[in-house]
Amino acid sequence: MRSFQSSRAAIIIDRSQARMLMKPKIVVFLRGIAAATLAGGLLATAVQAAPVPTTNLLSNPGFEGSFPSGVASGWTKWVVSGSPTYNSITSSVAAARVAEGVSAQQLEAANATYTAGLQQTVTGLTAGTTYRFTLSAHAWATSNDDSTASTGSITLKAGIGQGSGYASDTSNVWSSAQYINKYGSLSVDAVAVGTSLTVFTFASTTVALKHNDAYFDNAALVAVSTATTGAGVQATGAQQVLIAPTNFAVPTVDASGQQFWIVQPGDTLIRIAAVACGNTIECLNKIKALNPDAGRMLSVGQKIILGQAETVAVAATPEATAAAAETPTPDPAGAAEATATVMAEPTAIPTVEPTTEAPSGAICVQLYDDLNGNGVLDAGESSVNGGVFTILDTGSGSTLGTYTTGEKPEPFCFEKLPPANYRISLQAPAGYVATTRAEWDLALAMGSTANLEFGAQQAAGAPTPASAAETSSQPAWLGSLVGALGAMLLLGGAGLAGYLLLTRRR
């Protein structure tokens, strides 16, 4: 009896010890299940497509890289009044003047005022879509040399204009503020009417101080809404892109062959130059030299001389030839009288007005190896062979030609182009991905040349278009199914491990 009770007590003790031993095992087992569930959820999340980040459509938005003539590459300066100096300011020289990265754009003037800024035209947009332009800016305006304080102010703006516009266009939309001694943010939205917009930075001073400096950095242009076709918005608005609004398609030519322009409301010398001979400083200086009396403000009806037009010989019209053939021949009897008549009234010679042959333009393209991926052609970055450029007339929809890089010296130019809207497309070589926009829309002015630089970077192991298409074509439920299967496998493995652990200790 005593032996039975001892055995029973031993069994109870063994069971108690077993329960005590099983408790941590159960805890481990439950933790394994929780970890497996979490891992399954993470696996399901991992197979889902990552959200596509918002694309900044600007070239060199951070004002980095090279600064030709003091202006950040990818940007163009504009000046309405004054003569500010454009410079690069780096964080190593003045860290407070750079919002992000290594450098920023600086405008400065000593004891002078100005209204000026930068602009950049972005093409390939979608009509009806709302785009937002944001910009970091601040100013230093003072009559002393204290870089931490200002005694004056500078008006700073961010603006958006339709098409290839100008800062003076009345249709531009602006966001205005005054940030002194530290960076602030400017933001403005606009709905694209056509396929291109121009963004502007703006700085204006009214008091001549020793230091009138403005700084711009960290710009962005992004789409914030999808395209809609509503009142006042056309989905196919490419033909609405204008270089310079005017009542004249081409300059006027007088009988002597001299080209001239009659100023219309809203015209400026910059607008006239853009249509007459191209949006270049050389063209503008030529017109200024021909019109020394033309000031900044033009008068409606004012005649602006553009230069001597090229003329071509034109044959007499059939009507003029027929009129000459019908001239009567005098008979011999009245020869003297007839001769006198002819001498007194000579036969009229048809006059032909000279016609103008519109100078053709060109679009020059280059594909470079963007080694650092900054979207800017830097020193040491060579050309890339095997890329294919295509030029399209967006007005007619006709493909005008193609060019494969490496076939000829670059930049390669599509020449003899009339004024029109064009689209240049790039197909990057195999193994390369574009680091700039692969499509550019632009309005080519008469006789002008546009230079476009496209960047591409070699991407080892980059997915091919085919694999990307296969990935995007997978059904949405596939990721969840794979995640669930992964969770089941992990749960099964955890359960088996727990079972083996428990049975081995018995």
Side-chain angles (χ1 to χ4, degrees):
M1 184 68 180
R2 185 177 298 171
S3 176
F4 172 76
Q5 290 177 347
S6 299
S7 299
R8 184 179 180 186
I11 293 172
I12 293 173
I13 293 173
D14 289 342
R15 288 179 177 175
S16 299
Q17 291 176 345
R19 290 192 187 99
M20 294 176 66
L21 291 172
M22 287 179 64
K23 283 183 179 179
K25 295 177 181 178
I26 293 173
V27 172
V28 171
F29 177 68
L30 292 175
R31 289 177 177 174
I33 292 177
T37 304
L38 177 61
L42 293 174
L43 179 62
T45 303
V47 298
Q48 299 294 331
V52 179
T54 303
T55 302
N56 189 346
L57 302 173
L58 293 177
S59 174
N60 192 17
F63 302 92
E64 305 288 346
S66 60
F67 281 72
S69 301
V71 179
S73 59
W75 295 84
T76 302
K77 72 176 182 179
W78 62 266
V79 178
V80 171
S81 64
S83 300
T85 301
Y86 288 73
N87 293 317
S88 165
I89 187 73
T90 62
S91 55
S92 61
V93 174
R97 307 305 185 193
V98 179
E100 185 175 307
V102 176
S103 59
Q105 179 69 61
Q106 178 191 37
L107 278 68
E108 63 174 346
N111 300 311
T113 62
Y114 62 86
T115 297
L118 301 169
Q119 68 182 71
Q120 183 178 146
T121 299
V122 181
T123 59
L125 306 181
T126 303
T129 296
T130 299
Y131 293 89
R132 176 169 297 157
F133 176 47
T134 56
L135 175 72
S136 295
H138 87 283
W140 177 37
T142 181
S143 55
N144 55 56
D145 295 326
D146 184 359
S147 62
T148 63
S150 291
T151 58
S153 63
I154 298 177
T155 299
L156 304 171
K157 296 182 182 181
I160 300 180
Q162 299 294 331
S164 302
Y166 302 91
S168 59
D169 289 345
T170 57
S171 60
N172 295 343
V173 291
W174 297 92
S175 171
S176 179
Q178 291 186 354
Y179 296 109
I180 303 299
N181 297 331
K182 65 179 181 179
Y183 270 102
S185 180
L186 298 168
S187 178
V188 60
D189 292 0
V191 178
V193 176
T195 59
S196 62
L197 293 172
T198 299
V199 298
F200 303 93
T201 76
F202 177 104
S204 182
T205 66
T206 57
V207 179
L209 300 175
K210 183 177 181 180
H211 296 283
N212 268 335
D213 297 3
Y215 304 89
F216 300 114
D217 201 359
N218 198 24
L221 180 69
V222 299
V224 294
S225 73
T226 56
T228 57
T229 53
V233 175
Q234 299 181 9
T236 56
Q239 296 183 357
Q240 299 178 22
V241 180
L242 301 177
I243 296 174
T246 176
N247 293 336
F248 295 93
V250 295
T252 306
V253 180
D254 61 18
S256 65
Q258 185 182 66
Q259 284 185 321
F260 65 91
W261 189 281
I262 301 300
V263 176
Q264 301 297 307
D267 275 348
T268 64
L269 286 180
I270 295 177
R271 294 183 183 216
I272 295 172
V275 176
C277 52
N279 192 12
T280 64
I281 190 64
E282 292 79 11
C283 172
L284 181 61
N285 288 338
K286 171 189 171 183
I287 294 178
K288 287 182 177 180
L290 292 172
N291 302 269
D293 297 332
R296 292 185 180 276
M297 301 301 295
L298 303 180
S299 303
V300 175
Q302 183 178 354
K303 182 177 180 179
I304 301 297
I305 299 173
L306 304 179
Q308 197 70 17
E310 297 178 3
T311 58
V312 294
V314 180
T317 61
E319 291 78 5
T321 303
E326 294 174 359
T327 303
T329 302
D331 57 26
E337 181 180 356
T339 301
T341 303
V342 173
M343 292 297 293
E345 299 179 7
T347 304
I349 300 175
T351 59
V352 180
E353 292 290 338
T355 60
T356 303
E357 182 181 2
S360 58
I363 300 177
C364 301
V365 295
Q366 179 179 1
L367 177 61
Y368 63 91
D369 191 356
D370 193 3
L371 298 176
N372 54 14
N374 66 348
V376 178
L377 177 56
D378 298 318
E381 294 181 337
S382 58
S383 299
V384 177
N385 296 337
V388 179
F389 285 107
T390 303
I391 181 170
L392 174 76
D393 185 330
T394 58
S396 63
S398 303
T399 299
L400 304 182
T402 60
Y403 166 69
T404 301
T405 57
E407 292 181 347
K408 296 181 180 180
E410 296 179 9
F412 171 80
C413 297
F414 295 99
E415 299 177 326
K416 298 182 179 180
L417 300 176
N421 293 325
Y422 296 97
R423 176 174 300 153
I424 302 293
S425 303
L426 166 68
Q427 180 181 343
Y432 282 82
V433 292
T435 57
T436 59
R437 291 194 301 276
E439 236 181 39
W440 290 78
D441 286 8
L442 73 155
L444 187 66
M446 182 173 64
S448 65
T449 298
N451 294 286
L452 302 180
E453 296 171 344
F454 292 76
Q457 189 178 53
Q458 195 167 15
T464 62
S467 64
E470 291 172 1
T471 302
S472 62
S473 63
Q474 292 177 350
W477 50 264
L478 182 59
S480 300
L481 177 60
V482 173
L485 291 175
M488 292 175 63
L489 290 174
L490 290 173
L491 285 171
L496 179 60
Y499 174 76
L500 293 176
L501 180 64
L502 292 175
T503 55
R504 189 178 64 178
R505 295 294 183 90
R506 289 181 179 179

